C-alpha cells in the first residue's frame, strides 16, 4: 500500500485516518485525509504508557468524572495524541484509529477536550478502531451481507462461582431482538446457550450476532480467550481460536461482556483475542469491551444502539449516539466507566 492508496481510502470513507507507532525515544502519528498526509512526532512509549495507566485507573474505579475534575492526565493525552491533528479533522468526521502498544488499552473517545467548554472527544468525531491501515486497505472489497437478521446467544447457566449469573442479560437479549423483523431472529439462552450451539446455528446467515455473557481473556495465549456459556459435559468455553474458523458475513458482532476487546497486542494486528477472532472470521465490525462492563446500564445502551441501526445508521454512528445519550443524562451513567468500555473494531473500510 502507498500513501496515495490510503488517501483514496480516506476519500471513499469521507473521513480521517490516524495511525500511531510507539518507539522508546519518540513516537509518531500519521494523519491521512483525502488530500494530504501529515506526520507528527510524539513522546516516547514510556511517557505515554504512564499517562494511559493513570487515566485508565482513574476511569475504571467507577468514580472518575474527567469533566468535573478536569483530569490532567486525560487532557494531556488529548493534547498529545489528538490535538496535533485537530485542524485536519472536521467537526463530526468519521475517524479510523490504528493504535499501537499501550494505546490499544485506551478509549480515545473518553479523552476530555480542554477549553471554554470541557467535553469528551466523542462529541467531535465518530471513531472506529482498526488493527492497522494496511489490513483495512486489504479488506476494501464489496460483499453481500445477509438480510436484516440477528443471532442472540447469552444469559447462560453459570458454570461456577467465578462466573456468576448476569441479572440483566435476559432483558438485554429481548431488547435487542425487538429491533429486528418478526421471524428474523434466533435466540439461544439459558441451558441451551452452550459453546457447540454457535457453529450449529449457522452464524454466516445472520447480519448481526449478539452475545450477552461473561468473557475470559488469556494474555499468555490470546486465542485461548473465551466466551463463557452454559456447561455441557464440563465444556463451557467458546474459544477465540474456534470462533476464527467459522466463516461470517455479519455487519456487526457485539460481545456484551467484560474485557472482551482483546488479550494481547501485536504490531500490525492490534489486540488479539475475541474481537480479533470475529474479524478474522469475516465480520465487518465488532463491538467489544475494554474493561469491566456494568450489567445494569448495558441493556439500555444496547437498546439504543440497535434502535439507531433500525433507523438506518451504521453501527459506529449508532453506538456513538447511544453513548452520547448516557453522557447527556443526569444519571451516574454519564461517567466514562459506564459507556467507555465499548469500542467498535473494524476489519473492513466499509
Amino acid at each position: 500500500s502507498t500513501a496515495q492508496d490510503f488517501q483514496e481510502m480516506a476519500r471513499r470513507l469521507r473521513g480521517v485516518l490516524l495511525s500511531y507507532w510507539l518507539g522508546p525515544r519518540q513516537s509518531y502519528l500519521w494523519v491521512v485525509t483525502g488530500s494530504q498526509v501529515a506526520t507528527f512526532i510524539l513522546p516516547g512509549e514510556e511517557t505515554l504508557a504512564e499517562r494511559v495507566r493513570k487515566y485508565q485507573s482513574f476511569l475504571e474505579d467507577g468514580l472518575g468524572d474527567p469533566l468535573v475534575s478536569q483530569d490532567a492526565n486525560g487532557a494531556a493525552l488529548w493534547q498529545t495524541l489528538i490535538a496535533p491533528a485537530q485542524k485536519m479533522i472536521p467537526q463530526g468526521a468519521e475517524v479510523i484509529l490504528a493504535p499501537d502498544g499501550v494505546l490499544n488499552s485506551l478509549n480515545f473517545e473518553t479523552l476530555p477536550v480542554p477549553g471554554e467548554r470541557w467535553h469528551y472527544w466523542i462529541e467531535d468525531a465518530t471513531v472506529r478502531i482498526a488493527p492497522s491501515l494496511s489490513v483495512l486497505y486489504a479488506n476494501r472489497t464489496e460483499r453481500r451481507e445477509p438480510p436484516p437478521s440477528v443471532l442472540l446467544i447469552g444469559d447462560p447457566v453459570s458454570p461456577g462461582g467465578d462466573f456468576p449469573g448476569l441479572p440483566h442479560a435476559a432483558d438485554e437479549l429481548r431488547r435487542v431482538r425487538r429491533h429486528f423483523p418478526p421471524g428474523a431472529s434466533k435466540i439461544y439462552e439459558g441451558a441451551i446457550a452452550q459453546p457447540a450451539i454457535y457453529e450449529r446455528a449457522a452464524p454466516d446467515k445472520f447480519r448481526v450476532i449478539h452475545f450477552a455473557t461473561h468473557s475470559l481473556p488469556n494474555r499468555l495465549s490470546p486465542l485461548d480467550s473465551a466466551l463463557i456459556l452454559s456447561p455441557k459435559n464440563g465444556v463451557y468455553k467458546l474459544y477465540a481460536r474456534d470462533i476464527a474458523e467459522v466463516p461470517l458475513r455479519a455487519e456487526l458482532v457485539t460481545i456484551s461482556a467484560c474485557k472482551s476487546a482483546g488479550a494481547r497486542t501485536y504490531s500490525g494486528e492490534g489486540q488479539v483475542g475475541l474481537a480479533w477472532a470475529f474479524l478474522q472470521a469475516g465480520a465487518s465490525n465488532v463491538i467489544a469491551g475494554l474493561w469491566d462492563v456494568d450489567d445494569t446500564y448495558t441493556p439500555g445502551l444496547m437498546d439504543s444502539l440497535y434502535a439507531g441501526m433500525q433507523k438506518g445508521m451504521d453501527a459506529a454512528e449508532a453506538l456513538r449516539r447511544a453513548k452520547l445519550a448516557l453522557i447527556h443524562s443526569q444519571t451516574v451513567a454519564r461517567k466514562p466507566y459506564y459507556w467507555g468500555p465499548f469500542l467498535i473494531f473494524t476489519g473492513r473500510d466499509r
Side-chain angles (χ1 to χ4, degrees):
S1 304
T2 67
Q4 289 74 24
D5 292 330
F6 294 132
Q7 285 182 254
E8 190 275 330
M9 185 165 65
R11 284 192 292 271
R12 185 167 61 252
L13 291 170
R14 298 176 187 173
V16 181
L17 314 178
L18 304 183
S19 182
Y20 294 86
W21 185 83
L22 303 187
R25 296 184 179 179
Q26 60 186 30
S27 304
Y28 297 89
L29 163 62
W30 287 274
V31 184
V32 184
T33 71
S35 60
Q36 62 178 315
V37 177
T39 307
F40 300 93
I41 297 176
L42 309 180
E45 184 171 17
E46 186 175 339
T47 299
L48 292 174
E50 181 66 15
R51 289 175 182 169
V52 170
R53 281 192 292 268
K54 288 181 178 178
Y55 188 59
Q56 284 300 116
S57 177
F58 174 71
L59 297 185
E60 291 183 46
D61 70 3
L63 300 175
D65 190 329
L67 301 189
V68 172
S69 66
Q70 297 192 351
D71 182 76
N73 285 303
L77 284 169
W78 180 87
Q79 197 69 44
T80 300
L81 300 172
I82 304 298
Q86 187 179 20
K87 292 182 179 179
M88 300 172 67
I89 306 175
Q91 180 70 26
E94 167 138 356
V95 175
I96 294 182
L97 285 169
D100 186 36
V102 70
L103 298 184
N104 282 281
S105 65
L106 174 68
N107 182 347
F108 285 66
E109 297 171 322
T110 69
L111 296 180
V113 181
E116 185 175 337
R117 184 183 73 86
W118 280 59
H119 61 279
Y120 297 113
W121 190 49
I122 191 176
E123 297 196 33
D124 298 337
T126 300
V127 180
R128 291 192 287 158
I129 308 298
S132 70
L133 296 189
S134 57
V135 167
L136 203 63
Y137 184 76
N139 293 335
R140 66 194 182 282
T141 55
E142 295 287 338
R143 67 172 183 176
R144 292 184 63 184
E145 292 173 340
S149 53
V150 62
L151 171 63
L152 297 140
I153 301 175
D155 189 27
V157 174
S158 171
D162 290 339
F163 308 104
L166 297 167
H168 301 284
D171 176 44
E172 180 177 326
L173 293 176
R174 277 155 184 74
R175 289 196 190 199
V176 175
R177 188 178 195 176
R178 71 186 186 183
H179 294 294
F180 292 84
S185 63
K186 191 71 176 178
I187 186 168
Y188 297 93
E189 59 183 331
I192 63 171
Q194 302 162 5
I197 207 68
Y198 174 65
E199 186 170 3
R200 291 208 299 267
D204 64 313
K205 296 181 180 179
F206 295 90
R207 180 175 289 184
V208 172
I209 301 170
H210 186 99
F211 291 90
T213 185
H214 291 288
S215 71
L216 182 64
N218 188 323
R219 178 168 174 76
L220 294 178
S221 180
L223 292 184
D224 285 323
S225 300
L227 291 170
I228 306 303
L229 298 174
S230 296
K232 182 177 182 181
N233 300 326
V235 177
Y236 56 89
K237 294 179 180 179
L238 177 58
Y239 289 102
R241 52 181 156 79
D242 296 325
I243 290 167
E245 296 297 322
V246 181
L248 295 178
R249 295 183 294 144
E251 173 190 357
L252 175 66
V253 174
T254 298
I255 315 170
S256 183
C258 298
K259 300 179 180 177
S260 53
R264 186 173 178 179
T265 299
Y266 293 86
S267 181
E269 294 286 354
Q271 294 194 82
V272 175
L274 290 166
W276 181 92
F278 283 111
L279 292 176
Q280 286 293 111
S284 295
N285 299 284
V286 178
I287 292 174
L290 274 181
W291 60 78
D292 287 346
V293 173
D294 187 275
D295 184 50
T296 303
Y297 291 95
T298 299
L301 178 70
M302 295 301 168
D303 196 359
S304 297
L305 161 70
Y306 290 107
M309 292 181 66
Q310 189 179 29
K311 294 175 183 177
M313 300 178 200
D314 67 21
E317 180 59 22
L319 179 61
R320 174 177 178 261
R321 295 202 184 191
K323 291 178 177 182
L324 288 174
L326 291 181
I327 292 168
H328 296 150
S329 73
Q330 298 303 310
T331 70
V332 69
R334 71 185 185 279
K335 297 179 181 180
Y337 173 79
Y338 296 94
W339 55 265
F342 292 108
L343 290 177
I344 184 160
F345 299 86
T346 188
R348 310 182 68 85
D349 70 0
R350 262 293 178 253

